[in-house]
Amino acid sequence: PYPAYDVLRSTAPAFPALDGRWFVTTHALTSRLLRDPGLRVSDAADYDTFWPDWRDNRGVASIVESMLMTNPPDHTRIRRAAAATFTARRVAGLRDVITEQATELIEQMPERADFVTTFAYPLPIAVICALLGVPDADRTWFRRHAADLTVVLEPISTEEEMERADLAGRELEDYFTGLIAERQKSPREDLTSDLASADSGLTGAELLANLVLLLVAGFETTTNLLGTGTKLLLDHPAHADRLRADPEQAVAFVEETLRYDSPVQMATRTTGQVLDLGDGLELPTGTDLMLLLGSANRDPDRYPDPHRFDPDRPNIQPVSFGGGAHYCLGAPLARLEAQVAFPLLLTMLPHLAPAGEPVLRDRLVLRGYAELPVTWG
Ligand code: HEM
């Protein structure tokens, strides 16, 4: 999409698509709008007006009922409860789990393998299962259902995909209902126990929807970061050497990977009041905006020579995790996973090399590799 973004961005920071929605392309305007309290996300009330039966599709419903698609005051309350359970201490406590799981996956990787299937796909789900307290034995089941549900994050899906998402939503809701009941009876050291406790103040429906969201929001997004970063390491052996010699370099490498190929390419908002874009341009209330995060991250006004991959850029701070009230709750976890995984891969598999043509995922919002053939022999 990057050449297209360049053309759009050089035309204007914001302009209308044929269907009345507006694209936002620059870093400055995207960052500003992400934080603008006058903008809202589509929520259950909006869905009621254009799709009265949306609750019948439980895949869609679980995401629409989650914090991702909720506005204040409910968003503020739910987000606060979730943030109180998803603490820095809990994330730091997952470092050992990440290292253990990543080590196991690398040890089991065949000499010629698809990196996505053998590593980038299973690692995030293992980590989310540990976070939520889902037993190891249920991981494969979880992974399949999370994958089926993820299509609802895309603007366009087939009827068959929507049916599969509905089924996955139903089964995940049943699963979490059971898990919540267990944890309410005998709490453990996991996020489900904390979120399900009486003092989180969430309703039963909010609890379910947000547990499903945590699973879905942290899955393919992180898979894409791991796949893209590994592809960049294969393409730039000098960066791989640096990272192998000094694992601390992983921090900047991960930030630049997030900037260079944003795993989430777009966030959507709607104007809740008239939006003044300057130069006499005003958008009426109810205008839908598509904030092109992937374009903002390649804006030459913010990042000189934007199409060059360069972890030494000062002050990278990509908008890949969004910004403002809906800023990604899992950003510290996603970063940690990648910061642990890349140096580990490079030291355990010093001869890791490409073994065929990678295939990009055929999606608009979630960008990353569907296949990344590698060999380590
Ligand atoms: C929200 C990106 C990983 C949980 C978001 C948003 C973005 C994003 C762009 C904001 C959407 C918007 O403003 O409309 C990413 C990327 C990830 C990642 C690029 C990996 C590289 C994770 C992980 C988790 C997670 C690992 C949890 C386990 C969430 C949640 C929200 C969110 C709960 C909703 C926050 C809210 O609405 O207040 N993510 N995410 N994400 N993300 Fe992530």
Side-chain angles (χ1 to χ4, degrees), residues 8-325:
L8 300 181
R9 200 189 311 104
S10 63
T11 317
F15 58 87
L18 289 175
D19 60 4
R21 291 187 288 182
W22 281 66
F23 289 111
V24 174
T25 58
T26 62
H27 187 279
L29 190 57
T30 300
S31 308
R32 188 191 117 195
L33 294 182
L34 281 168
R35 288 164 186 78
D36 187 334
L39 298 183
R40 46 200 300 288
V41 293
S42 285
D43 61 17
D46 298 312
Y47 270 66
D48 284 340
T49 62
F50 65 78
W51 181 10
D53 297 333
W54 63 271
R55 284 181 182 80
D56 293 347
N57 186 313
R58 294 314 303 169
V60 171
S62 57
I63 301 303
V64 175
E65 288 167 357
S66 79
M67 73 181 109
L68 185 67
M69 301 188 70
T70 302
N71 288 295
D74 287 338
H75 178 265
T76 320
R77 174 178 55 81
I78 299 169
R79 169 92 189 196
R80 197 172 294 145
T85 62
F86 207 140
T87 56
R89 210 184 104 232
R90 173 156 274 142
V91 173
L94 287 167
R95 180 183 278 274
D96 290 347
V97 174
I98 298 170
T99 309
E100 224 171 82
Q101 294 297 327
T103 305
E104 202 175 292
L105 290 170
I106 296 168
E107 282 169 354
Q108 290 167 357
M109 197 183 295
E111 194 171 325
R112 280 180 83 89
D114 171 26
F115 182 76
V116 178
T117 325
T118 54
F119 190 89
Y121 206 55
L123 181 64
I125 210 82
V127 175
I128 297 170
C129 286
L131 175 79
L132 297 178
V134 169
D136 292 356
D138 295 343
R139 241 189 250 156
T140 313
W141 183 92
F142 239 67
R143 198 196 302 168
R144 208 178 58 238
H145 287 74
D148 284 352
L149 212 148
T150 305
V151 296
V152 307
L153 298 179
E154 293 287 333
I156 305 165
S157 328
T158 64
E159 209 166 296
E160 195 203 328
E161 283 176 327
M162 290 301 270
E163 276 168 26
R164 276 212 307 267
D166 174 35
L167 199 63
R170 286 172 199 279
E171 297 201 8
L172 283 166
E173 284 183 334
D174 285 348
Y175 186 96
F176 278 123
T177 302
L179 190 67
I180 290 164
E182 263 175 45
R183 293 302 193 269
Q184 281 173 335
K185 224 180 332 151
S186 40
R188 293 202 197 157
E189 269 296 311
D190 57 39
L191 196 144
T192 305
S193 300
D194 290 359
L195 213 52
S197 78
D199 52 337
S200 80
L202 298 192
T203 66
E206 287 168 351
L207 184 55
L208 267 185
N210 285 291
L211 287 171
V212 174
L213 174 71
L214 284 168
L215 170 66
V216 174
F219 175 34
E220 244 180 70
T221 47
T222 314
T223 297
N224 291 346
L225 170 61
L226 295 172
T228 306
T230 302
K231 171 78 167 62
L232 286 161
L233 287 168
L234 297 174
D235 289 348
H236 301 270
H239 290 305
D241 289 343
R242 263 175 72 179
L243 233 148
R244 200 180 288 114
D246 177 10
E248 291 289 304
Q249 300 284 337
V251 175
F253 179 83
V254 169
E255 293 312 291
E256 179 67 350
T257 301
L258 286 161
R259 181 196 74 82
Y260 189 79
D261 243 343
S262 190
V264 177
Q265 289 280 314
M266 192 192 299
T268 49
R269 294 292 186 270
T270 306
T271 55
Q273 58 196 51
V274 174
L275 175 66
D276 184 355
L277 287 177
D279 292 335
L281 182 57
E282 285 189 342
L283 302 186
T285 306
T287 307
D288 291 327
L289 303 173
M290 288 177 283
L291 311 178
L292 299 177
L293 307 176
S295 172
N297 282 341
R298 299 257 191 145
D299 182 345
D301 285 345
R302 173 64 175 77
Y303 302 104
D305 200 0
H307 303 308
R308 202 164 79 87
F309 181 78
D310 176 14
D312 290 330
R313 288 175 188 282
N315 190 21
I316 301 176
Q317 298 179 334
V319 291
S320 314
F321 291 118

Side-chain angles (χ1 to χ4, degrees), residues 307-366:
H307 303 308
R308 202 164 79 87
F309 181 78
D310 176 14
D312 290 330
R313 288 175 188 282
N315 190 21
I316 301 176
Q317 298 179 334
V319 291
S320 314
F321 291 118
H326 291 274
Y327 180 79
C328 177
L329 186 66
L333 179 58
R335 286 187 161 116
L336 183 65
E337 271 179 64
Q339 289 163 5
V340 170
F342 295 139
L344 201 62
L345 266 170
L346 293 170
T347 39
M348 288 181 68
L349 305 175
H351 303 297
L352 191 69
E357 274 306 301
V359 179
L360 273 171
R361 234 177 260 285
D362 177 21
R363 298 240 173 252
L364 285 173
V365 176
L366 299 184

